[in-house]
């Protein structure tokens, strides 16, 4: 095993010579039960075709169409922090915000819908393993998945149904049911739920079941959706939470960031620098694994 930290070599492995480095079996073992074989874990011979299906979803035009909803949710998030009378768990608050955003971006549904929240709370209960929102549920599912992976291939959870195992199974089934319902509705011709964005916006599910994605089975659609919930939620949550933490420790930088944010149109250079510096100090994805499938020589 070789650890690579040099930006030049990372670019070689991940960008210019990516065909020589396939996805890792270790990552698949760690996340496969929860996510299946989505875009992050699919072998190289299928990765390019899958990526092209979703490429337009990340175009400047589509992101700008989604921007209206993001601005409204972010303003409500900031107002909630300002009105808090005591300490705030910023990580949890950001989890909730980002899961709502990635739910709309991926599936076109609102995970903050009152009916969905009531179903979540009824399913998980009010005890120590209960969840108040879907961002919290997602974090619990990931945490339990990593515990299973760390304990090796014994798969004790299939026999020993502890309270944590039952909570994982119930929460996982609930989330999969939400994803499946969104897929079935879209396959039946239903439109995405209204979220106050531009009518030009296309969520990723729209691309999955559209002309480019017609070849995907329902199982593959589910795995792709779960993968994007994972990739979009956790990276964004960590970035925002750590950026707020760093700014809170630096009042002068926080004042500059607020001034930048007040600009209604045009670039926000200082905010961009804040985000990039946060990623340097606290990378959202600090480690990725690859398996060399062809001989390669680093100069």
């Amino acid at each position: 095993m070789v650890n690579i930290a040099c930006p030049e070599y990372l670019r070689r492995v991940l960008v210019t010579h990516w065909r020589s480095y396939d996805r890792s079996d270790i990552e698949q073992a760690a996340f496969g039960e929860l996510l299946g074989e989505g875009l992050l874990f699919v072998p190289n011979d299928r990765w390019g075709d899958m990526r092209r299906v979703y490429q337009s979803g990340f175009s400047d035009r589509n992101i700008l169409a989604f921007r209206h909803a993001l601005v409204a949710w972010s303003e409500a998030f900031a107002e909630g922090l300002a009105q808090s009378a005591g300490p705030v768990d910023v990580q949890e608050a950001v989890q909730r915000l980002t899961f709502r955003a990635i739910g709309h971006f991926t599936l076109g549904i609102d995970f903050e819908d009152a009916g969905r929240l009531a179903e979540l709370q009824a399913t998980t209960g009010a005890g120590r393993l209960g969840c108040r929102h879907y961002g919290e549920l997602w974090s619990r599912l990931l945490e339990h998945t990593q515990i299973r992976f760390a304990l090796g291939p014994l798969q004790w959870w299939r026999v020993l149904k502890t309270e944590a195992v039952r909570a994982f199974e119930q929460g996982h089934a609930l989330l999969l049911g939400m994803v499946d319902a969104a897929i079935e509705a879209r396959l039946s011709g239903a439109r995405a739920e209204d979220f106050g964005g531009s009518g030009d916006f296309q969520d990723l599910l729209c691309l999955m079941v559209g002309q480019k994605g017609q070849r995907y089975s329902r199982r593959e659609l589910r795995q792709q959706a779960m993968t994007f919930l994972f990739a979009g939620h956790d990276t964004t949550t960590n970035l925002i939470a750590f950026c707020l933490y760093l700014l809170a420790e630096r009042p002068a930088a926080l004042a500059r960031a607020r001034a930048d944010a007040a600009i209604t149109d045009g670039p926000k250079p200082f905010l961009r620098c804040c985000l990039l510096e946060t990623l340097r100090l606290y990378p959202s994805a600090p480690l990725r694994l690859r398996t060399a499938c062809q001989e390669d020589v680093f100069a």
Side-chain angles (χ1 to χ4, degrees):
M1 180 177 290
V2 179
N3 181 34
I4 299 175
C6 171
E8 178 185 350
Y9 293 163
L10 287 172
R11 181 174 178 80
R12 181 183 183 88
V13 171
L14 298 176
V15 181
T16 60
H17 291 67
W18 63 270
R19 289 181 177 83
S20 299
Y21 299 90
D22 215 336
R23 302 307 188 267
S24 167
D25 291 340
I26 297 176
E27 286 188 343
Q28 180 62 34
F31 298 105
E33 181 182 8
L34 184 61
L35 306 178
E37 197 175 73
L39 185 65
L40 288 179
F41 309 117
V42 72
N44 279 351
D45 58 353
R46 295 167 53 201
W47 180 82
D49 289 340
M50 281 190 179
R51 183 179 180 274
R52 280 187 285 273
V53 170
Y54 310 115
Q55 199 161 9
S56 61
F58 297 92
S59 67
D60 290 344
R61 178 180 178 181
N62 206 46
I63 297 299
L64 284 173
F66 192 56
R67 173 178 175 272
H68 302 287
L70 287 177
V71 169
W73 297 334
S74 298
E75 288 176 347
F77 169 78
E79 184 178 347
L81 293 181
Q83 292 178 352
S84 176
V88 176
D89 186 336
V90 173
Q91 179 80 5
E92 181 184 0
V94 174
Q95 280 177 355
R96 187 166 192 165
L97 169 67
T98 54
F99 204 81
R100 184 181 196 184
I102 197 61
H104 267 300
F105 192 84
T106 301
L107 297 168
I109 65 174
D110 188 1
F111 280 105
E112 286 296 301
D113 172 76
R116 291 192 178 98
L117 289 175
E119 186 174 358
L120 168 67
Q121 293 159 9
T123 300
T124 61
R128 64 183 183 87
L129 296 178
C131 298
R132 290 163 291 180
H133 53 83
Y134 284 88
E136 184 177 18
L137 171 64
W138 185 252
S139 296
R140 294 274 181 86
L141 294 179
L142 280 176
E143 181 181 356
H144 189 77
T145 297
Q146 296 313 292
I147 292 174
R148 291 185 175 190
F149 173 70
L151 293 176
L154 298 177
Q155 297 191 355
W156 55 269
W157 56 87
R158 299 190 184 280
V159 178
L160 185 60
K161 298 296 182 181
T162 64
E163 182 184 16
V165 170
R166 291 195 303 271
F168 173 87
E169 292 175 346
Q170 292 169 354
H172 192 206
L174 173 64
L175 187 57
L176 289 179
M178 297 282 180
V179 172
D180 289 343
I183 291 171
E184 290 300 324
R186 198 64 61 86
L187 289 172
S188 300
R191 296 174 60 85
E193 296 176 7
D194 180 43
F195 62 95
S198 167
D200 295 330
F201 171 71
Q202 285 187 304
D203 57 68
L204 297 182
L205 183 56
C206 175
L207 300 176
M208 292 184 216
V209 302
Q211 184 176 1
K212 290 184 178 180
Q214 285 178 348
R215 61 183 177 275
Y216 291 130
S217 67
R218 282 170 170 77
R219 178 174 177 271
E220 288 171 326
L221 291 171
R222 170 201 272 187
Q223 292 177 346
Q224 296 294 350
M226 293 291 284
T227 297
F228 277 109
L229 290 177
F230 164 70
H233 176 255
D234 293 82
T235 53
T236 310
T237 296
N238 291 335
L239 171 59
I240 296 175
F242 277 120
C243 188
L244 291 175
Y245 163 73
L246 291 171
L247 287 172
E249 287 197 321
R250 296 161 176 82
L254 178 58
R256 286 187 64 186
R258 282 176 169 165
D260 231 29
I263 301 173
T264 55
D265 294 307
K268 301 178 181 1
F270 186 73
L271 275 179
R272 176 177 172 80
C273 289
C274 290
L275 294 173
L276 291 176
E277 179 66 2
T278 302
L279 287 172
R280 186 185 71 83
L281 294 171
Y282 302 101
S284 296
L287 177 68
R288 288 302 310 273
L289 302 178
R290 288 293 186 270
T291 300
C293 55
Q294 299 177 18
E295 183 176 337
D296 192 17
V297 178
F298 282 50

